[in-house]
Amino acid sequence: MPDKVIDKKAVERSVDAEVPYIDLEYNESKNAWESDKLKIYTDANKANEVEINILDHKKDAASGFQATLIEKTDASGNTTKVITVAGTNDIVDLLAADYSIAKGDVPGLQYKAMTDFVTK
């Protein structure tokens, strides 16, 4: 049975990992994040009896950092918050961060953007 638990968690995490790549836009009148692609993510979680709510999203153009804060509620009412962080997804990210990491340095702009997001 443990394999099924691991598989379920792996599926949930892989679905969560897609969120930073979704083009989210904040709709102030609805007070919610929206995207045509968000329905696919929401439907994938409903199949696992999980409700999701996008609490925050950050896309930092200067550093290439991108992350989303998701609140997930399972069928039993247990709530979990998940931060998903996008990997390399554009040329700014590649040149600004990946080059620093390859040299063994901390990518300062991304580190700052990430700590600001987590602190918020």
Side-chain angles (χ1 to χ4, degrees):
M1 287 297 167
D3 288 340
K4 293 191 182 213
V5 174
I6 291 168
D7 290 347
K8 182 178 178 187
K9 286 292 182 192
V11 167
E12 288 177 8
R13 288 186 179 134
S14 66
V15 171
D16 290 341
E18 294 173 12
V19 174
Y21 295 99
I22 295 174
D23 295 323
L24 294 169
E25 291 186 22
Y26 191 71
N27 183 329
E28 290 189 29
S29 64
K30 293 182 181 178
N31 194 29
W33 290 95
E34 294 182 335
S35 167
D36 294 338
K37 298 174 189 174
L38 192 56
K39 182 174 177 2
I40 296 166
Y41 173 77
T42 303
D43 290 347
N45 273 285
K46 281 183 183 173
N48 291 325
E49 297 183 8
V50 174
E51 284 187 43
I52 61 106
N53 185 22
I54 305 291
L55 299 179
D56 201 1
H57 178 73
K58 179 174 183 82
K59 185 173 185 177
D60 186 65
S63 70
F65 175 79
Q66 190 172 349
T68 306
L69 175 61
I70 305 164
E71 182 179 69
K72 301 172 78 170
T73 306
D74 67 18
S76 301
N78 300 314
T79 301
T80 306
K81 290 188 175 118
V82 178
I83 294 177
T84 63
V85 179
T88 302
N89 54 7
D90 61 25
I91 193 69
V92 173
D93 200 9
L94 180 67
L95 296 175
D98 293 0
Y99 181 70
S100 293
I101 293 168
K103 292 189 327 181
D105 297 335
V106 173
L109 289 175
Q110 280 201 353
Y111 180 79
K112 171 106 173 73
M114 180 185 65
T115 56
D116 289 349
F117 183 73
V118 171
T119 301
K120 180 182 168 190

